[in-house]
Amino acid sequence: MSEAPPYSAVRIDVVRLPGAHSERDAVAVEEPLEIRINGEPIAVTMRTPGDDEELALGFCLTEGLAPRSAAPPSDLAANTVEVVADRRPVARNFYTTSSCGVCGKGALEAVAVEAAHVNAELRVAPALVSGLPEQLRAAQAAFAATGGLHATGLFSASGDLLCVREDVGRHNAMDKVVGWAFGEGMLPLQEAVLCVSGRLSFELVQKAAVAGCPVVVAVGAPSSLAVELAADRGVTLCGFVRDGRVNVYTEPWRITE
Amino acid sequence: MSEAPPYSAVRIDVVRLPGAHSERDAVAVEEPLEIRINGEPIAVTMRTPGDDEELALGFCLTEGLAPRSAAPPSDLAANTVEVVADRRPVARNFYTTSSCGVCGKGALEAVAVEAAHVNAELRVAPALVSGLPEQLRAAQAAFAATGGLHATGLFSASGDLLCVREDVGRHNAMDKVVGWAFGEGMLPLQEAVLCVSGRLSFELVQKAAVAGCPVVVAVGAPSSLAVELAADRGVTLCGFVRDGRVNVYTEPWRITE
């Protein structure tokens, strides 16, 4: 497994009611990050600091921009990452926040990033799927302190946790994991399962599909468009994975003993 | 109180494990909405359909674009709202998804929308604050069906629910409520309290502050930047409002008997 995520909380004063006693408490850190491609600012995302290069790489990968590398800029601008990529976004400027992912598209019909149909032959046992959220939660160092962070975990087909990342933005946590996998030479993720701590939106399924991942698991509910996109891309979508139960919304043939 | 939100769920097939029996289940609807200002497309947001004009008005208001009215476009394009506004965004195109709100800003230092310091003399009793999440939840028609929707509720100073809106995007639910209040001639919200169903990010506090609301209440945790912005704008921020307990992060003097 990759190294543990950095401690992503700060301590602030809080007044607790009833009683009105003042205490110190931990909150999740949220700060803007500017992503530049080939020197040009293309996105601002509100993220939890840490693994910024992986975040920028994952963002560019899942936006279809074919990144090659990411590093702090030569002028050492704070909260900025410089990406070298083969493509530029369609729109000159696009901007993201705590759960963006379809940014940079110029029209409704262009919201979806091009992604091949996921055709991995992977099979996963139901018991393995139902145990993933607990493994993810156990690895969430920062959530325990703040209660304020989303997480994405990348698991092997045998259920080993390979990488976990946390962020105030759910799509940022996913981007960080995909960026990490890119650095490890693991893309496409044909033999892996992605598990997210919250709900499944369109953009999370899109990012997983672009990364080639055949199985996506969530503690929470999927949206209608998340289910639609998963069906279109051939991704197996599991939601409400709690207390030994699993709802399989698409491609249930992959979940088998 | 305003009319109940429209039923924002669709029924789809789901395979439930263990047992592998197929059933029909409800999921929250997520679809893109294009927002045009004075004829020009400026944002695409992934939202739950319903109250689209209010959403577009609230979005433009909290982005500082001084909207006057919103309506479906004359060409009847689906999933599009046309806004008449006095200002145009700084960047020509900006794009949003399930929880955007700082879109359209050209640099890190320009992320924050201009907002006056909230100087309302409103006082709210602790018992009133601690009861708001339960009132909000009771009014969440669609959440009960799907488990997949965020909500924002607007309450009077005496704790009456004035308006509730639900959406897959937490910032959309807030925009819909602010847009509704605009239509009712209630802005700035100096005698009101906003309550959100989840966590408090930077953008939600920004939207509340731009709408002039002095007290913001959340069931979940605030981020560091949410606390910082609330302190800067003079907004009283309450988080982790559960089981009779309230954490007050900023301007606690407003929460008093």
Side-chain angles (χ1 to χ4, degrees):
Chain A
M1 190 185 147
S2 68
E3 75 284 5
Y7 192 78
S8 309
V10 288
R11 295 189 79 76
I12 59 165
D13 288 317
V14 58
V15 175
R16 291 195 206 278
L17 303 175
H21 46 279
S22 189
E23 285 180 19
R24 299 286 282 174
D25 196 13
V27 295
V29 176
E30 179 185 28
E31 285 181 14
L33 176 72
E34 182 175 285
I35 299 174
R36 299 182 189 169
I37 296 187
N38 304 334
E40 186 181 11
I42 57 116
V44 175
T45 182
M46 303 300 286
R47 99 311 189 185
T48 300
D51 306 307
D52 289 340
E53 287 86 359
E54 291 174 355
L55 168 56
L57 280 172
F59 174 83
C60 292
L61 278 161
T62 58
E63 288 291 325
L65 301 176
R68 278 187 265 158
S69 63
S74 54
D75 60 3
L76 289 176
N79 280 344
T80 304
V81 171
E82 176 71 54
V83 177
V84 176
D86 289 344
R87 282 176 225 149
R88 289 172 43 160
V90 178
R92 198 185 148 277
N93 284 294
F94 55 117
Y95 298 89
T96 75
T97 65
S98 295
S99 82
C100 271
V102 301
C103 298
K105 310 307 175 304
L108 296 187
E109 57 273 25
V111 164
V113 170
E114 282 299 317
H117 197 76
V118 173
N119 56 13
E121 295 302 309
L122 181 70
R123 298 289 189 289
V124 185
L128 189 151
V129 169
S130 63
L132 297 184
E134 199 175 324
Q135 281 190 69
L136 181 64
R137 183 63 180 264
Q140 275 190 261
F143 184 88
T146 68
L149 289 171
H150 295 280
T152 294
L154 178 66
F155 293 87
S156 72
S158 52
D160 294 319
L161 181 57
L162 304 173
C163 176
V164 61
R165 293 290 182 267
E166 293 180 277
D167 204 285
V168 288
R170 67 185 76 206
H171 74 101
N172 287 332
M174 174 72 81
D175 279 341
K176 287 176 177 177
V177 167
V178 172
W180 176 84
F182 174 76
E184 298 287 315
M186 290 173 63
L187 297 183
L189 297 171
Q190 294 193 335
E191 297 294 319
V193 177
L194 284 163
C195 179
V196 305
S197 60
R199 302 172 191 175
L200 271 174
S201 64
F202 166 81
E203 68 229 31
L204 287 180
V205 174
Q206 172 155 285
K207 287 175 185 294
V210 173
C213 188
V215 180
V216 179
V217 173
V219 177
S223 74
S224 64
L225 209 53
V227 173
E228 210 174 297
L229 183 68
D232 184 66
R233 297 294 192 266
V235 170
T236 298
L237 205 63
C238 302
F240 286 109
V241 181
R242 304 168 182 176
D243 309 324
R245 287 176 289 108
V246 179
N247 282 2
V248 190
Y249 293 90
T250 53
E251 311 290 348
W253 54 271
R254 286 202 185 91
I255 312 299
T256 182
E257 297 294 348
Chain B
M1 190 186 145
S2 67
E3 75 284 3
Y7 193 77
S8 309
V10 288
R11 295 189 78 77
I12 59 163
D13 289 315
V14 58
V15 176
R16 290 196 206 279
L17 303 175
H21 46 282
S22 189
E23 286 181 15
R24 298 286 283 174
D25 196 13
V27 295
V29 177
E30 178 185 29
E31 284 181 15
L33 176 72
E34 180 174 287
I35 300 174
R36 299 181 190 170
I37 297 188
N38 304 334
E40 186 181 11
I42 57 115
V44 175
T45 182
M46 303 301 287
R47 100 307 190 190
T48 300
D51 306 306
D52 289 340
E53 287 85 0
E54 292 175 352
L55 169 56
L57 280 172
F59 174 81
C60 292
L61 279 161
T62 58
E63 288 291 324
L65 301 175
R68 277 188 266 159
S69 63
S74 54
D75 59 4
L76 289 176
N79 280 344
T80 303
V81 172
E82 176 71 52
V83 178
V84 176
D86 290 343
R87 284 177 223 146
R88 288 173 42 160
V90 179
R92 200 184 145 277
N93 283 294
F94 55 118
Y95 298 90
T96 75
T97 64
S98 297
S99 84
C100 270
V102 300
C103 299
K105 308 308 174 303
L108 295 186
E109 57 273 27
V111 164
V113 169
E114 282 300 316
H117 197 77
V118 174
N119 56 12
E121 295 303 308
L122 181 69
R123 299 288 189 286
V124 185
L128 190 151
V129 170
S130 63
L132 297 184
E134 199 174 326
Q135 280 191 70
L136 181 65
R137 183 62 181 264
Q140 274 190 261
F143 184 88
T146 68
L149 289 171
H150 296 279
T152 294
L154 179 66
F155 293 87
S156 72
S158 53
D160 294 320
L161 180 58
L162 305 173
C163 175
V164 61
R165 292 292 182 267
E166 294 180 276
D167 203 286
V168 288
R170 65 185 76 205
H171 76 102
N172 287 333
M174 174 73 80
D175 279 342
K176 286 176 177 178
V177 167
V178 172
W180 176 85
F182 174 77
E184 298 289 314
M186 292 175 61
L187 297 184
L189 298 169
Q190 293 193 334
E191 297 294 321
V193 177
L194 284 163
C195 179
V196 304
S197 60
R199 302 172 192 175
L200 271 174
S201 63
F202 166 81
E203 68 229 32
L204 286 180
V205 175
Q206 172 156 285
K207 287 174 183 297
V210 172
C213 188
V215 181
V216 179
V217 174
V219 178
S223 73
S224 63
L225 208 54
V227 174
E228 208 174 300
L229 184 69
D232 184 66
R233 297 293 191 267
V235 171
T236 298
L237 205 63
C238 302
F240 285 109
V241 181
R242 305 169 181 175
D243 309 324
R245 286 176 288 110
V246 178
N247 282 1
V248 189
Y249 293 92
T250 55
E251 311 289 347
W253 54 271
R254 285 200 187 92
I255 312 299
T256 181
E257 295 295 348

